[in-house]
Amino acid sequence: MATFIPRQVFPTLDSLPRSYFLGHHKAGLDKMKTMLSHTDLVIECRDYRIPLTSRNPLFEENLAGRERLIVYTKQDLGSAGQHRDKTRERLIQDFQRPSAVLFSDYKDKSSIRKILEFARTHAVVADSLTGSRMMVVGMPNVGKSSLLNALRGVGVHKGKAAHTGAQPGVTRKVGTTVKIIEGEESGEGVYLMDTPGVFIPYVPNAEAMLKLALCGSVKDTIIAPTTLADYLLYHLNLYDPVVYGEYESPTNDIVQLLDALARKTGRLQKGGTPDLEASALWLIQRWRNGHLGRFVLDEVTPATLEAETRANDSVGISLSQGRKMMKELRKQKSRQKHLDTH
């Protein structure tokens, strides 16, 4: 039997959409800016599985002037607790200095207590009689609302205050503040405000868009499920193809895997034809829930972090620049469509 060789490079897909910056994203960001003067601490959530790609420069650009705690959420979905995971976390912490960095799983009370302790210490330093106001921000569907609910549950033993969902866009407006730490004699406690996820105006490359989509930062209708499943298969094979071994032997052919999966899980259309799209969505969801290996999609090394630093030092893509790029892309697609029909 021939030795299986996984793909080392995923093909570039220039036709993929490169923006998901919606109206309520801009409205939410504008509202956040007006609330900044009443905010003591900004808690920025990023997805542990894409620690570099889920960074949104808009937050640093528009919410500057406030201390920031960066929380990498969904640690349980990207870390196996091995040495390489700890090494990656240390690299990220060093890279983000002077901002504080914590790693979190909203179901793990010990990690939630670390965030609460940071918030409590920060509130003591602020020493406000009216309590400390904090704001949680992040890209769509990185786990902001789940984190808020966990902080509230552990901090003041109250039930959920924010709605959550598997698709982005559940939180569409800046919400009211909820208490996460009870006040003491000298103050009113600590309050946290939930905010809508804000996408970057323009995604720098197609693979970054695939990573964001695979982690659920854009709706599953934006990129074809089979394309997204193929990108997942590329990563599964680099990680360990055994994770999908109950459905098919190691393969680089996504249609082959989805066909086998559809037949074994009963995802069939009329006449017994495999439903490849439904199978692709099911496969993606299995990975998102941690059932097909726990690994990160971003490569985090001193070299990639240095590249990120250079990108940060260059002129950032502003909202107006992002709009110009999207407008030009639409013109190009329109011209191409016109040529194709003539």
Side-chain angles (χ1 to χ4, degrees):
M1 183 177 179
T3 302
F4 173 69
I5 301 176
R7 292 172 287 180
Q8 296 302 305
V9 178
F10 192 78
T12 301
L13 303 174
D14 291 328
S15 60
L16 289 180
R18 300 278 282 279
S19 181
Y20 189 66
F21 190 76
L22 306 177
H24 70 272
H25 293 176
K26 183 180 185 306
L29 186 62
D30 290 343
K31 180 66 174 177
M32 290 176 216
K33 286 192 285 186
T34 68
M35 303 297 293
L36 199 59
S37 61
H38 308 292
T39 302
D40 303 315
L41 176 71
V42 174
I43 300 177
E44 182 186 344
C45 293
R46 299 178 186 174
D47 193 316
Y48 187 96
R49 299 166 296 179
I50 44 174
L52 304 183
T53 305
S54 59
R55 167 188 168 267
N56 189 341
L58 285 179
F59 295 128
E60 293 159 46
E61 184 180 320
N62 291 275
L63 304 179
R66 288 291 177 273
E67 186 173 345
R68 191 166 51 125
L69 168 65
I70 303 173
V71 177
Y72 290 88
T73 61
K74 308 183 184 184
Q75 182 187 26
D76 55 312
L77 300 179
S79 171
Q82 298 178 353
H83 175 71
R84 62 182 179 183
D85 298 312
K86 301 300 181 185
T87 300
R88 184 193 313 113
E89 290 171 9
R90 284 194 296 271
L91 282 172
I92 291 171
Q93 286 175 320
D94 290 340
F95 174 65
Q96 292 299 340
R97 296 186 194 281
S99 293
V101 169
L102 292 172
F103 303 93
S104 173
D105 162 17
Y106 78 91
K107 299 183 292 294
D108 176 17
K109 290 185 177 180
S110 64
S111 71
I112 297 302
R113 289 192 186 99
K114 289 179 183 178
I115 300 172
L116 287 169
E117 188 55 39
F118 185 96
R120 182 179 287 107
T121 301
H122 189 275
V124 168
V125 173
D127 192 24
S128 172
L129 292 175
T130 59
S132 180
R133 263 63 180 174
M134 302 180 180
M135 181 189 300
V136 60
V137 304
M139 293 271 273
N141 210 27
V142 294
K144 298 178 300 298
S145 298
S146 294
L147 177 63
L148 182 147
N149 288 331
L151 291 170
R152 177 177 164 86
V154 175
V156 297
H157 309 293
K158 296 287 183 66
K160 289 184 178 181
H163 295 292
T164 61
Q167 291 291 294
V170 174
T171 305
R172 299 179 73 89
K173 295 181 179 180
V174 173
T176 56
T177 55
V178 298
K179 183 178 284 190
I180 60 170
I181 298 175
E182 292 288 359
E184 298 177 356
E185 291 181 7
S186 59
E188 287 293 316
V190 178
Y191 295 82
L192 185 62
M193 181 193 309
D194 196 14
T195 65
V198 176
F199 207 78
I200 52 179
Y202 186 78
V203 179
N205 58 73
E207 186 167 10
M209 191 68 178
L210 285 169
K211 291 176 181 178
L212 289 164
L214 187 54
C215 289
S217 282
V218 303
K219 287 189 175 180
D220 289 335
T221 54
I222 301 299
I223 295 176
T226 50
T227 299
L228 212 49
D230 190 25
Y231 184 65
L232 173 59
L233 176 61
Y234 160 70
H235 275 284
L236 291 177
N237 284 335
L238 292 175
Y239 172 72
D240 188 353
V242 170
V243 295
Y244 60 82
E246 62 181 297
Y247 308 111
E248 183 58 287
S249 56
T251 178
N252 288 315
D253 187 339
I254 188 57
V255 174
Q256 180 181 327
L257 173 59
L258 294 179
D259 184 285
L261 191 154
R263 296 181 188 282
K264 291 189 177 181
T265 62
R267 286 172 169 75
L268 306 173
Q269 299 173 317
K270 288 183 178 179
T273 304
D275 190 334
L276 299 187
E277 184 170 310
S279 298
L281 288 170
W282 186 83
L283 184 73
I284 292 164
Q285 201 57 46
R286 290 285 291 173
W287 178 75
R288 286 176 181 167
N289 291 334
H291 300 301
L292 289 173
R294 300 179 181 190
F295 52 88
V296 299
L297 304 179
D298 282 340
E299 183 182 7
V300 180
T301 65
T304 58
L305 290 172
E306 177 62 30
E308 182 78 1
T309 301
R310 289 197 300 271
N312 292 349
D313 290 341
S314 64
V315 179
I317 297 178
S318 67
L319 289 174
S320 59
Q321 288 173 306
R323 291 193 191 99
K324 287 178 182 177
M325 289 181 179
M326 291 308 299
K327 188 175 182 180
E328 182 58 33
L329 280 175
R330 284 194 293 269
K331 285 182 179 179
Q332 290 177 8
K333 287 184 179 180
S334 179
R335 285 196 293 267
Q336 186 61 48
K337 187 176 181 181
H338 179 74
L339 291 173
D340 293 342
T341 56
H342 290 80

